[in-house]
Every structure is written in C-alpha cells, then in structure tokens.
Amino acid sequence: VKWLADHGDSDASRTEFVHRTFREHITTLSRLIRKYDPNHLILGIRFGHSNVPHKNILDIVRDNCDVFAFNTYRLSPNVEYLDAVSEATGLPMINGEFHFGTIDRGMAPGLVQVADQEERARAFRYFAENGFSHPALIGIAWFQYTDQGQLGRRDGERYNIGLVDVTDIPYKIVDGIKAASENIYRVHSGLQEPYSEKPAGLQGNEDDLISKSNQ
C-alpha cells in the first residue's frame, strides 16, 4: 500500500514492486546459503514454462543462482523457451518436474497422458533425448517414483505416473529410461540425433503439448 501511495498505482509501479520484492527474496536466500553452505549449488526456484519470465526476473536469477530450474508438462521441453532463457542468463538448466501417465490402471492419467504403458516408455525416451539435445539442459527430474494411492493424496490427486506401482513392481517406462540413458551423452554432445518416434495417444491439460521446434 505504501509503495503504491509513493509511486502511483499503475501497471509499471506494480511490476517494479514485484521485481524489487523478488530480488530482495532471492538475494537474501542466496547470500545466506553461500555463507552457511558454500559447497552446494543454488538451483533457485522452479519456474513454470508457459511463458519466458520477464527479463528483470531472469537477470535476478542469473545474478544469484547457479542453475535455472523449471517445470514442464509436455512432449518435450520447449526449445524456444530453452533458447530464450539460456541466452538471457547463460546458466545451465534443469527440468524439475514432468511425467506421462495413462488410464489403464484405473487411476487418473496425470497432467500428460499417452495410450498405455508401452507408450509411457516411448514418451520418456522422446522427452529425455529431445530435451538433452539442447546444450543448456543438464538435468531432468521425474514426478514421481511410485504411483499415487488409489484413494488419492490430500487433494485427491491419484495419478498413474509412477516408475513403479505401489507394490514396487516396475512399469515398462523403465525400459525407456534405460534406452535414453544409453544415448544421452552422445545426443547432448551432438554425435547422435535424438529419438524421433512420438508416443501414441498424447493428450494433456495444455493446448500446446508439443514444442513448435519439434512439430
């Protein structure tokens, strides 16, 4: 309230307030982490992927973090997003969260759905190899290791998105992980083209599941 009273209530002043607050938050955390835990990298926060963050936000991340982290739920990381963030920050990037589910176990399919368990393996390999074909991407993190319970977690979310089921039996997706892992370093170094066979039955909660660069 005081900020708007002193600077006027406009889109520009509200944006400046948000950016100043974000900078204070991130710089305080980074300063304390580097003081008390200097031997670890600062991954920052995980951004969404629908829009590239404002340049001022990217500058703040660049000045205070070692890695740019983001979540994405689509066929593969958006190449235009990776290009824009990498050019603005010069930081390596980590995809902090993604998954592919299906309905053949009687649970909800997750945020991105494919036809069946075989296609989940294909989807993982496509996501991983196409993602790592970008020089800025250095890591990906799957959500989550085991299926969610049939009755759901606290908010009712009950996705068939595990690498294993609730009895620790692996799904076919593990084969896709193994195949991608054998190729990742050659793909990332440009010695091998990424996997190109897209999974069948791709659906999701977004209109743009496929990066324009991968269509």
Side-chain angles (χ1 to χ4, degrees):
V1 172
K2 185 178 186 306
W3 174 270
L4 296 180
D6 293 342
H7 297 82
D9 190 351
S10 66
D11 288 345
S13 63
R14 285 172 178 258
T15 298
E16 185 179 357
F17 175 79
V18 170
H19 292 174
R20 283 172 175 261
T21 304
F22 182 71
R23 178 175 288 279
E24 183 68 21
H25 175 71
I26 294 298
T27 55
T28 300
L29 290 175
S30 296
R31 174 173 52 82
L32 293 173
I33 291 171
R34 295 198 192 284
K35 178 179 179 180
Y36 293 107
D37 189 17
N39 297 319
H40 289 86
L41 298 176
I42 295 177
L43 306 186
I45 67 172
R46 291 184 295 173
F47 286 87
H49 66 284
S50 297
N51 297 293
V52 176
H54 191 284
K55 181 183 182 303
N56 290 351
I57 298 296
L58 292 176
D59 289 345
I60 295 167
V61 174
R62 179 200 62 207
D63 294 342
N64 292 279
C65 300
D66 299 303
V67 175
F68 182 93
F70 67 101
N71 293 352
T72 186
Y73 282 92
R74 59 194 299 135
L75 178 60
S76 64
N78 188 316
V79 175
E80 290 86 352
Y81 184 100
L82 295 175
D83 284 344
V85 172
S86 177
E87 182 178 354
T89 67
L91 294 176
M93 302 173 70
I94 289 177
N95 186 104
E97 190 175 307
F98 74 104
H99 66 226
F100 299 97
T102 187
I103 59 174
D104 60 7
R105 294 299 302 272
M107 292 178 282
L111 300 180
V112 182
Q113 174 183 348
V114 291
D116 54 34
Q117 300 298 336
E118 293 279 354
E119 296 304 315
R120 292 181 71 215
R122 196 184 316 279
F124 183 98
R125 184 176 177 188
Y126 188 99
F127 184 100
E129 293 192 24
N130 282 272
F132 281 119
S133 68
H134 195 284
L137 191 70
I138 61 168
I140 57 177
W142 176 267
F143 182 84
Q144 60 181 25
Y145 175 70
T146 186
D147 279 340
Q148 294 172 326
Q150 184 71 276
L151 298 179
R153 63 182 191 184
R154 287 178 298 175
D155 61 357
E157 186 175 292
R158 54 184 191 92
Y159 293 157
N160 172 212
I161 52 172
L163 306 182
V164 300
D165 66 19
V166 293
T167 64
D168 287 334
I169 297 176
Y171 287 113
K172 293 292 291 183
I173 191 172
V174 172
D175 295 335
I177 296 172
K178 291 177 180 178
S181 298
E182 292 175 354
N183 299 321
I184 286 304
Y185 289 105
R186 290 191 299 274
V187 170
H188 192 62
S189 61
L191 299 176
Q192 178 177 321
E193 291 296 314
Y195 185 67
S196 61
E197 191 170 345
K198 296 175 183 175
L202 183 69
Q203 299 182 58
N205 66 339
E206 300 178 49
D207 294 329
D208 182 18
L209 283 169
I210 304 175
S211 167
K212 293 177 182 178
S213 297
N214 289 332
Q215 288 180 336

